[in-house]
């Protein structure tokens, strides 16, 4: 049929692809490989345009490399544990497992409807038992290596629902469900010792330069936050030390020891041990006590919004001048950062200055306008760098301080007091203490007969789940009820895809397959994952390397971060009423048009602002591209072309220019995969073709154009290529350099910089000839005008300034 019907064409080819298994990776490890991976989604039940954009980028790469003869691994799965499933259980009365697997089924159908060439055999969900078994094994091995430990931590706690809340569940300081004020509660939590790898993670960023976006590298570098400075302590004044007994000094870390003479206060975190001692002994006035308790009951994120502080009945002694320094509790000081105390130098630190101004604390400048130390006794006249060295030497020589390297990075807390997650495989025994489960007992799976009502962790209320036998002494014991942070699952899933499905029950990875497929050649996802997920995945890969599972340091060789999809300048959201549903696009226009639009409106790294008119323009192009294909003749290979006229040569040059651009884009000779320019070049080629009627030329053009557009609009290209060429053109093609050597070129004519006309001229026409012909072509805009300047840009344009 010559009329374009996207729905019948797309259904036909999706069925062919599903039946043939053409998207499965080959077991032939002698072939060159490409591992193309998009970040997997949470199974929320319906994909959004952000998903479509992410997966369309990856799919274009996977399809191109298959054409180029590579063995391609292009998998997809589901990041399936997490809080939304429990919320759904509470709201709709459906079990989280049922809700999750039903949503996965819906999304799988949508992926197929969009023509994404994912491997079906490698798909899994992180809530699958085989996946849980392996990662619980990893946890136990990490615990035995000292990479997992437990300590008390402050958590958001809803006293009404008796449950821990994620930061996202705290709205204006209240529980998102019951509107009860949230408090901070200390509870034992499990941590992964990511700080042990801080320096290696920082150094590894250097190997990713030029392959990852500079913005992401900078964000990770800042998050790790390496700084070198001096750790030392302020002794408490005698009467203050007497109040605290054993708490006789306040330890701090500073990168600016050169400003030590400018210290006018010390600030403690609300949870600092010295503060706790004062509260326990009831040594504070009621108003101060209440203010501190309010700070303690405020999350770290909320505390950063507005600075608050109170003066304690404590004074420290300056280590050099012996001056008495007042000690405050400040809400912006975090217990988890350093020692939970800092020296305040308000004259030379913006945050300290704001706090000092708020509480009328003196401000003492110790660096002059010339940048030299002043009011600093023996160190006056030195530069800050010189003073840092001399002061650090003095502190170390007198045994009062030590130069250390400090990292902003904190150990990764992975405990979650929620049901729908991978259970932490630990057992608490009265005789043996905290011990890991035996490997042969894995996986430890969630009981399904639970009551999820939002009040506390349902596992703790389960009548049978907690009771178990100690793996060490066989005495009665209690099973751990905490589940793992879902980032734990997403930190190694990309390694699991490389192992064939038939081995999943037996082992974590197939070593030969890992060596072949890893690292991931192109990883695609949102820039919002720049820090947590990407940093955790880099850390996890190194841990598994040290445990003997993998033989690589960096998991993702190249990274592409796609921009958000906007509408009317704002991020799409239901609350704003500006959501464009992929289902609407598929129903009205079809998958190829959705894919073409995603690639055409903006290159991957840029934000995409939705435009319905541009979508309709894309639909018209695909319809024209399909229906004009009937002007081409079926053939097995590109026909030989002879005696072409000027217009035919021009059209052929446009086609081969598009092919040349295709190679440059996919092979990353042009940064950022600007598929929009490839689509534009293809449109120009079709426009030029329509000025010709040579069937052989049309055949060669479609042989090339369906080849280069198949990664972007695969259904219509497959339909055309199959009819004309039995898809024999889906293979490497070379640019005919002679086609680009044109006798004639097209020159734009602009008036005051605005394009008014164009002309085709001999490529060697001189300046005078170009100007003369341009004046003829632009006669109606130049008539009765004074030409003030004539500009010729060789092979591009002629501009008249009038």
């Amino acid at each position: 049929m010559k009329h374009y019907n996207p729905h019948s064409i797309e259904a036909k080819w999706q069925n062919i692809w599903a039946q043939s298994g053409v998207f499965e990776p080959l077991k032939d490890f002698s072939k060159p490989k490409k591992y193309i991976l998009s970040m997997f989604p949470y199974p929320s039940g319906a994909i959004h345009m952000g998903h479509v954009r992410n997966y369309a980028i990856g799919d274009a790469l996977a399809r191109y490399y298959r054409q180029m003869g590579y063995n391609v691994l292009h998998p997809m799965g589901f990041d399936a544990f997490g809080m939304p499933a429990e919320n759904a259980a509470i709201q709709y009365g459906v079990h989280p497992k049922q809700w999750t697997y039903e949503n996965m089924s819906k999304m799988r159908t949508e992926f197929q409807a969009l023509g994404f060439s994912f491997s079906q055999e490698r798909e899994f969900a992180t809530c699958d038992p085989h996946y849980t078994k392996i990662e619980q094994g990893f946890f136990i091995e990490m615990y035995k290596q000292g990479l997992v430990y437990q300590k008390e931590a402050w958590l958001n706690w809803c006293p009404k629902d008796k449950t821990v809340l994620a930061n996202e569940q705290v709205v204006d300081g209240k529980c998102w469900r019951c509107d009860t004020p949230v408090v901070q509660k200390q509870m034992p939590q499990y941590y992964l010792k990511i700080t042990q790898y801080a320096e290696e993670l920082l150094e590894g960023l250097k190997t990713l330069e030029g392959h990852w976006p500079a913005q992401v590298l900078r964000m990770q570098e800042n998050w790790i936050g390496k700084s070198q400075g001096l750790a030392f302590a302020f002794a408490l004044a005698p009467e203050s030390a007497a109040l605290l007994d054993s708490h006789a000094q306040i330890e701090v870390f500073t990168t600016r020891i050169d400003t030590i003479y400018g210290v006018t206060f010390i600030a403690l975190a609300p949870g600092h041990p010295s503060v706790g001692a004062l509260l326990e002994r009831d040594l504070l006035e009621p108003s101060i006590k209440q203010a501190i308790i309010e700070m303690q009951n405020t999350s770290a994120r909320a505390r950063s919004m507005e600075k608050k502080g109170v003066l304690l009945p404590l004074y420290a002694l300056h280590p050099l001048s012996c001056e008495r320094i007042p000690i405050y509790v400040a809400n912006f000081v975090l217990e988890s950062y350093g020692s939970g105390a800092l020296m305040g130098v308000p004259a030379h630190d913006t945050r300290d200055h704001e706090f000092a101004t708020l509480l009328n604390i003196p401000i003492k400048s110790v660096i002059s306008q010339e940048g030299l130390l002043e009011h600093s006794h023996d160190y006056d006249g030195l530069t800050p760098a010189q003073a840092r060295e001399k002061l650090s030497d003095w502190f170390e020589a007198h045994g009062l301080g030590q130069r250390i390297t400090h990292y902003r990075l904190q150990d990764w807390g992975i405990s979650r007091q929620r049901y729908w997650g991978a259970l932490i495989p630990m057992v608490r025994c009265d005789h043996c203490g905290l011990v890991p489960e035996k490997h042969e007992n894995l996986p430890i799976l969630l009981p399904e007969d639970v009551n999820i009502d939002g009040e506390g962790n349902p596992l703790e209320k389960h009548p049978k789940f907690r009771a178990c036998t100690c793996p060490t002494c066989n005495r009665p014991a209690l099973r751990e009820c905490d589940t793992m942070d879902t980032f734990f699952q997403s930190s190694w899933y990309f390694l699991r895809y490389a192992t064939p499905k038939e081995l999943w029950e037996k082992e974590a990875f197939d070593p030969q397959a890992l060596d072949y497929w890893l690292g991931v050649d192109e990883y695609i996802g949102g820039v919002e994952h720049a820090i947590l997920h990407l940093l955790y995945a880099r850390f996890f890969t190194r841990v598994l390397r040290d445990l003997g599972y993998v033989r690589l340091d960096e998991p993702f060789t190249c990274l592409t971060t796609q921009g958000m999809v906007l509408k009317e300048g704002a991020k799409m959201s239901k609350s704003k009423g500006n959501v464009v549903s992929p289902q609407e696009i598929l129903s009205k226009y079809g998958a190829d048009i959705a894919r073409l639009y995603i690639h055409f409106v903006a290159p991957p790294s840029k934000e995409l602002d939705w435009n319905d008119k541009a979508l309709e323009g894309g639909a018209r192009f695909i319809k024209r591209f399909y229906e004009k294909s009937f002007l081409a003749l079926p053939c097995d290979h590109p026909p030989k072309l002879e005696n072409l006229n000027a217009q035919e040569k021009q059209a052929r040059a446009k086609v081969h220019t598009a092919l040349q651009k295709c190679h440059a884009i996919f092979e990353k000779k042009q940064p950022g995969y600007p598929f929009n320019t490839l689509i534009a070049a293809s449109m120009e080629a079709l426009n030029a073709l329509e000025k010709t009627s040579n069937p052989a030329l049309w055949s060669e053009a479609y042989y090339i154009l369906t080849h280069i557009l198949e990664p972007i609009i695969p259904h219509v290209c497959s339909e055309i290529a199959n009819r004309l060429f039995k898809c024999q053109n889906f293979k490497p093609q070379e640019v005919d350099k002679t086609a680009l050597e044109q006798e004639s070129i097209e020159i734009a004519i602009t008036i005051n910089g605005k394009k008014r006309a164009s002309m085709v001229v001999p490529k060697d026409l001189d300046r005078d000839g170009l100007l003369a012909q341009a004046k003829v072509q632009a006669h109606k805009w130049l008539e009765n005008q004074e030409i003030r300047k004539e500009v010729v840009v060789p092979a591009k344009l002629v501009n008249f300034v009038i």
Side-chain angles (χ1 to χ4, degrees), residues 40 99 116 142 146 228 241 243-244 267 291 301 308 315 347 352 365 367 458-459 487 562 573 577 666 740 771:
F40 63 174
W99 184 84
F116 294 141
M142 291 179 190
Q228 293 174 313
L243 287 176
L244 299 179
R301 180 185 295 181
K308 296 179 180 179
Y315 286 86
D352 294 354
S365 174
I367 298 178
L459 295 173
F487 279 115
Q562 92 274 8
S573 70
F666 280 103
L740 304 180
L771 289 170

Side-chain angles (χ1 to χ4, degrees), residues 167-237:
N167 287 333
E168 294 76 14
Q169 293 176 305
V170 180
V171 181
D172 296 329
K174 298 178 182 178
C175 174
W176 68 289
R177 286 188 63 240
C178 65
D179 218 28
T180 300
V182 171
V183 300
Q184 296 293 294
K185 183 176 181 180
Q186 273 198 316
M187 297 176 65
Q189 299 290 288
Y190 290 91
Y191 286 83
L192 293 187
K193 202 175 287 184
I194 189 173
T195 52
Q196 186 169 309
Y197 288 79
E199 185 63 28
E200 188 180 343
L201 289 167
L202 192 61
E203 284 296 306
L205 295 175
K206 296 176 183 176
T207 68
L208 301 174
E209 291 176 1
H211 305 286
W212 280 33
Q215 175 191 10
V216 174
L217 298 178
R218 186 172 62 253
M219 290 168 73
Q220 288 211 7
E221 182 180 0
N222 292 339
W223 188 259
I224 296 169
K226 181 178 180 179
S227 58
Q228 293 174 313
L230 191 77
F232 69 102
F234 286 89
L236 291 174

Side-chain angles (χ1 to χ4, degrees), residues 4-24:
Y4 176 57
N5 185 327
H7 298 101
S8 62
I9 290 173
E10 290 170 8
K12 168 187 171 181
W13 283 97
Q14 288 162 15
N15 184 58
I16 291 172
W17 295 330
Q19 296 299 320
S20 64
V22 291
F23 303 144
E24 300 305 329

